[in-house]
Amino acid sequence: MLTILGFVMIATFLVLIMMKKMSPMAALVLIPALFCVLVGQGAHLGDYVLKGIGDLAPTAAMLMFAIIYFGVMIDVGLFDPVVRGILRFCKADPVRVVVGTALLAAIVSLDGDGSTTFMITVSALYPLYKRLKMSLVVMTGVAATANGVMNTLPWGGPTARAATALKLDAGDIFVPMIPALAVGLVAVFALAYVLGRRERKRLGVLTLGDTRVVTEAADERESEQVLVGAGAVGTGGGTAGGPRTSGGAGAGTGSGATSSAGGPQDEGDDDLQVLDPHRATLRPKLYWFNAALTVALLTLLILQALPIPVLFLLGAALALTVNFPHMKDQKARVAAHAENVLNVSGMVFAAAVFTGVLTGTGMVEHMARWLVSGIPDALGPHMGLVTGVLSIPLTYFMSNDGFYFGIVPILAEAGAAHGVAPVEIARASLVGQALHMSSPLVPAVYVLVGMAKVEFGDHTKFTVKWAALTSLVVLGAGLLFGIL
């Protein structure tokens, strides 16, 4: 009974948010509360919710201070050179923009933290996507899938969990998987190219030389701010009444730009200027301090010198104090990022209700054991393949902790009975991470969709099929190379 209700609860949640009948926050709270009552454990709802909140509170704290930290770094101009470099590469070509999205997300993912990756990627590319009228779900889908593949780094979380659960060395798990994961990353770039071609076909080839003028709406002016919700002073790339150019099929605004003073920019590498180079929050004299602080923070994060929430808390406090020594300015920066902080932390605590009920009632355990018990004995010698296949749906519907500490040991035990080494099970368990990063139980995905102003249901409908396909590519490569 718990097995059936567990699957029904998850299906109900996904259907309602994809059909936009409920907001994700409301669905994450109300649906598990209802099912908790239906299974006859309503009296324990409070305990389950508090347990879930306790488990996710450090994550919420980390996200809150990470948003403030990277928001301040964007405000003071730390990432301006990176953004300008990306824009020079992308120009006005949708193919380059989408491939650039995958590249940026993959590079930033080296720090092992999804929320950091999404904040930087969206901050850099959101204005360009809006300006070219490109689909924002393409940006969120490609970024999430690229981050999912890179999330398998030993310091990213899943590999460390698998090593801990099965008492293995993380290097023994990850290093042999590198060829398969590299193929998965190539698949992400191939996907980005295909989606970019689709966007190019829809929009036409946007050129810098087309001089047709379009009217600039109020929402376009808003979309050209440095960062969604960053509270940046002024907008870049155009003035309210200045001319804008459009090209190709006429389906999107083009790449011409005007300076903040209203005059036209010289055509060339800076034609796609989307950052206001004169915003009041810039701190050019502190650039190298901020760069060193960020590198030190990410290094300590990778080395796990301190808990991640503590690192970002200290980093945010130091960044605010040095860059904005006056209390009035500090309050203004915190207030500028308050909307993102509230939205993301609210979603994390709402997700705590879902995970708390799913785990506390025993539904997730019954679902997992039902799936494992359904594996035919004939597949015993192929438990590596079975684990890889199961990791795709299970890491989507479960937290990484639940999967790696609850399910993977069971799969390893079943494999050992047929001569399959635990390290092979551990490697196979990494296959589903490309899809996992779009799970409603992953707090970082709410940073992604919130900053990109994309409905979670739209992101889910678009991304799931591509992320699942990427996971299958990783699985196929692992089998082909004899890793699994």
Side-chain angles (χ1 to χ4, degrees), residues 237-239 257-265:
T239 58
T258 58
S259 69
S260 59
Q265 296 273 10

Side-chain angles (χ1 to χ4, degrees), residues 14-22 457 461:
L14 292 174
V15 169
L16 287 175
I17 62 170
M18 285 192 289
M19 293 181 66
K20 299 182 181 179
K21 299 298 184 182
M22 293 183 73
K461 284 189 288 186

Side-chain angles (χ1 to χ4, degrees), residues 261-286:
Q265 296 273 10
D266 293 332
E267 287 195 10
D269 286 343
D270 292 326
D271 276 322
L272 282 175
Q273 185 81 26
V274 294
L275 293 172
D276 181 2
H278 306 295
R279 61 191 187 274
T281 57
L282 286 177
R283 297 292 185 269
K285 293 182 179 180
L286 293 171

Side-chain angles (χ1 to χ4, degrees), residues 58-80:
T59 300
M62 181 271 290
L63 291 174
M64 180 171 70
F65 289 104
I67 289 172
I68 293 175
Y69 179 83
F70 284 104
V72 168
M73 291 297 112
I74 292 163
D75 291 342
V76 300
L78 177 63
F79 300 111
D80 285 23

Side-chain angles (χ1 to χ4, degrees), residues 290-477:
N290 289 317
L293 177 62
T294 301
V295 170
L297 178 64
L298 297 181
T299 301
L300 291 173
L301 187 151
I302 292 172
L303 296 175
Q304 299 180 358
L306 286 172
I308 296 178
V310 176
L311 288 174
F312 277 114
L313 192 155
L314 294 173
L318 187 57
L320 280 169
T321 302
V322 174
N323 288 282
F324 303 97
H326 300 295
M327 187 177 296
K328 179 181 178 181
D329 294 333
Q330 292 180 16
K331 288 182 177 180
R333 289 302 89 211
V334 172
H337 302 288
E339 181 180 356
N340 277 335
V341 170
L342 179 60
N343 288 337
V344 172
S345 58
M347 292 298 294
V348 171
F349 288 123
V353 180
F354 194 94
T355 57
V357 170
L358 199 62
T359 304
T361 57
M363 283 190 280
V364 68
E365 181 181 354
H366 280 74
M367 293 162 61
R369 291 190 177 276
W370 176 79
L371 287 171
V372 173
S373 65
I375 299 173
D377 291 337
L379 291 177
H382 308 287
M383 280 302 295
L385 172 61
V386 171
T387 300
V389 172
L390 288 179
S391 72
I392 299 174
L394 289 181
T395 55
Y396 183 79
F397 295 123
M398 298 176 63
S399 67
N400 269 342
D401 285 338
F403 176 69
Y404 285 101
F405 294 116
I407 306 304
V408 170
I410 298 174
L411 294 170
E413 184 178 344
H418 293 86
V420 179
V423 70
E424 186 175 334
I425 301 297
R427 293 169 189 160
S429 69
L430 301 177
V431 165
Q433 287 303 305
L435 178 59
H436 171 74
M437 287 310 298
S438 290
S439 167
L441 303 181
V442 175
V445 76
Y446 299 113
V447 176
L448 176 64
V449 298
M451 294 181 65
K453 295 187 178 180
V454 169
E455 291 291 336
F456 181 77
D458 293 337
H459 171 79
T460 299
K461 284 189 288 186
F462 177 82
T463 306
V464 165
K465 57 182 179 293
W466 300 117
L469 178 61
T470 303
S471 292
L472 290 174
V473 169
V474 173
L475 178 61

